[in-house]
Amino acid sequence: MTFATGLICRECGATYPALARYACDFCFGPLEVSYDLDAAKGAVTRESIERGPLSMWRYADLLPDPGDAPADLGAGWTPLRRATRLAEVLGVRELWLKDDTRNPTGSFKDRVVSVALSSARRLGFTTAACASTGNLATSVAAHAAAIGWPSVTIIPSDLEKSKIAMAAIFGGTVLGVEGNYDDVNRLCVELVAEHEDWAFVNVNLRPYYAEGSKTLAFEIAEQLGWRAPDQVVVPVASGSQLTKVAKGFEEFVTLGLIDGPAPVLFGAQAEGCSPVATAFRSGADVVTPQRPHTIARSLAIGNPADGLYVLDELRAHGGDCGSVPDSDVLECISLLARTEGIFAETAGGVTIASLRQMLDRGTIDPDRSIVAIISGHGLKTLDAIVETATVSSTISPSLADAEEALRFHQLVAAS
Ligand SMILES: *Cc1c(COP(=O)(O)O)cnc(C)c1O
Ligand SMILES: [Zn+2]
């Protein structure tokens, strides 16, 4: 049973029932889901959670009401792996990787979509839709297919080939827009007004959608043996994930499921789209939109909806935000793969490169525990690496050629 009570305005605190609305009538501020945490305290226990399914829905008490059954492809409960070899390279004592490449469609977006479409079905919607940088479109199309809904997913037309294919394969309608994500998002806001019976998961269902990211925090805490790590590095696109990971840890502290304090959060952005990192470092209290230009397409949101909330979170607790060049992104995709056997998409490269950058400038403490969220699978951004990740040598099928190549690659001693 959920302890969600309804919606609350993040700006003025006005409350609303748990219906399909996303902006406050009084101040136009964004709404979020509210919970009766006093009632949940004592009812939601480590034991009650441990009895739940091995998916993100083990935290159903702290998620919006999914109706009769969630729209569930098995998102969540992804591995949290101790990364000793990468830790050694980076010179840190305790590093963990939250491997969200292992979700049903290969990205953390399955968490938010599972919550959003469950709420959408409960609220009587019958069509799934979204504005996407790629991963969200794939996840929406897949979950819609699984519950038998039509889907309309809207993406920039020049995305990575593999992302377009993954969005299209589930049979929904995919609209490729000649423009960037911010153009796509503007278009979707207009479409919402025209198609009120469509569930745009990250527009009119955004309060519900956003809650799915809390499960990253819940899982990290539970998988560490019911404790909070000291520091968590989170990739930032719209900023929804980072703000809700913060909310998740805070809820667990409030419920007494972990001892405080909640971890310090650190953002990760690509230099070619770093509106939050730029505002953070310049001390600005507005986020100035940027025109994105980076290989990290999944994070390429130049005008992030939750940018100000991310700034507040980083500043309130001594966080920081990395901003890394594409060359570092590629290098760190490879570093992560070579040291830990995890193949991440460009967003994962941004996260590891940002971690390294913030260690270098001393804002992340190498002696305190660190969790890095690896949010998408490398097969999604093959385009970024196919030029450099190639066969070591091409040889004829002869023993002599093979032996020569192995000598060249120093796998056997030169004779
Ligand atoms: C969407 C996405 C994020 C972060 O998204 P927010 O909009 O900040 O919540 C991170 N990594 C990947 C791979 C994504 O697709
Ligand atoms: Zn308000």
Side-chain angles (χ1 to χ4, degrees):
M1 189 201 77
T2 179
F3 287 89
T5 50
L7 300 172
I8 184 167
C9 174
R10 287 161 89 179
E11 291 300 323
C12 76
T15 58
Y16 300 87
L19 299 175
R21 57 192 314 154
Y22 60 105
C24 178
D25 285 346
F26 303 102
C27 74
F28 305 109
L31 304 183
E32 70 179 347
V33 178
S34 57
Y35 297 84
D36 185 350
L37 293 183
D38 288 334
K41 198 163 183 169
V44 182
T45 62
R46 293 176 179 181
E47 294 71 29
S48 72
I49 290 170
E50 284 164 357
R51 280 195 299 271
L54 292 176
S55 82
M56 59 180 275
W57 288 100
R58 66 204 276 104
Y59 309 105
D61 288 346
L62 303 173
L63 293 173
D65 178 4
D68 294 339
D72 181 21
L73 290 175
W77 202 243
T78 58
L80 180 74
R81 292 216 356 233
R82 182 85 190 250
T84 50
R85 283 168 42 79
L86 181 57
E88 203 178 308
V89 174
L90 295 175
V92 304
R93 193 176 55 76
E94 183 184 345
L95 176 63
W96 300 82
L97 301 173
K98 182 59 171 162
D99 185 5
D100 249 27
T101 71
R102 303 269 291 261
N103 277 304
T105 73
S107 89
F108 107 98
K109 289 296 195 305
D110 292 326
R111 299 176 183 272
V112 285
V113 169
S114 184
V115 175
L117 288 190
S118 301
S119 292
R121 188 161 58 175
R122 175 181 64 80
L123 292 166
F125 289 91
T126 53
T127 299
C130 69
S132 172
T133 57
N135 290 329
L136 183 60
T138 297
S139 186
V140 165
H143 284 82
I147 63 174
W149 280 19
S151 65
V152 182
T153 57
I154 308 183
I155 57 174
S157 59
D158 65 346
L159 282 188
E160 299 95 335
K161 278 201 200 97
S162 30
K163 279 207 177 126
I164 294 175
M166 284 189 75
I169 198 67
F170 299 102
T173 301
V174 182
L175 299 184
V177 173
E178 291 165 339
N180 60 33
Y181 175 81
D182 299 287
D183 299 316
V184 168
N185 192 50
R186 245 190 325 272
L187 173 61
C188 284
V189 171
E190 291 176 41
L191 281 167
V192 166
E194 299 294 319
H195 302 274
E196 286 183 350
D197 53 335
W198 290 5
F200 279 85
V201 297
N202 56 339
V203 186
N204 52 341
L205 272 292
R206 191 169 181 86
Y208 302 101
Y209 162 95
E211 290 299 295
S213 288
K214 289 191 312 188
T215 60
L216 277 163
F218 296 159
E219 290 176 20
I220 289 167
E222 183 177 352
Q223 289 168 320
L224 284 175
W226 300 103
R227 83 180 154 99
D230 297 317
Q231 309 167 96
V232 182
V233 186
V234 189
V236 173
S238 73
S240 176
Q241 179 181 150
L242 189 143
T243 54
K244 296 305 171 179
V245 165
K247 189 180 182 212
F249 282 115
E250 281 156 20
E251 285 178 359
F252 262 24
V253 171
T254 302
L255 293 173
L257 294 170
I258 54 172
D259 296 328
V264 181
L265 299 192
F266 295 83
Q269 296 204 298
E271 219 170 67
C273 184
S274 52
V276 174
T278 303
F280 182 82
R281 293 201 73 73
S282 69
D285 47 17
V286 292
V287 175
T288 307
Q290 293 181 1
R291 180 167 291 275
H293 186 71
T294 169
I295 57 168
R297 300 297 304 268
S298 54
L299 303 182
I301 297 184
N303 188 11
D306 289 294
L308 279 180
Y309 295 110
V310 173
L311 277 186
D312 287 349
E313 169 62 33
L314 299 180
R315 287 184 174 141
H317 302 107
D320 187 9
C321 190
S323 164
V324 293
D326 285 356
S327 53
D328 287 16
V329 174
L330 291 174
E331 183 201 336
C332 286
I333 290 175
S334 151
L335 175 64
L336 176 62
R338 284 183 285 119
T339 54
E340 298 295 340
I342 294 177
F343 182 26
E345 71 144 86
T346 45
V350 170
T351 299
I352 298 301
S354 292
L355 165 59
R356 186 173 66 180
Q357 183 183 71
M358 291 184 281
L359 284 163
D360 283 348
R361 66 172 170 245
T363 47
I364 293 186
D365 184 343
D367 294 320
R368 308 187 70 204
S369 61
I370 303 166
V371 174
I373 294 176
I374 308 301
S375 51
H377 200 285
L379 288 173
K380 289 169 162 282
T381 58
L382 272 183
D383 296 25
I385 55 125
V386 282
E387 302 293 326
T388 48
T390 60
V391 291
S392 307
S393 292
T394 303
I395 59 169
S396 71
S398 83
L399 185 58
D401 258 22
E403 291 294 348
E404 190 192 324
L406 294 177
R407 273 194 299 280
F408 178 79
H409 296 294
Q410 298 179 343
L411 281 165
V412 296
S415 51

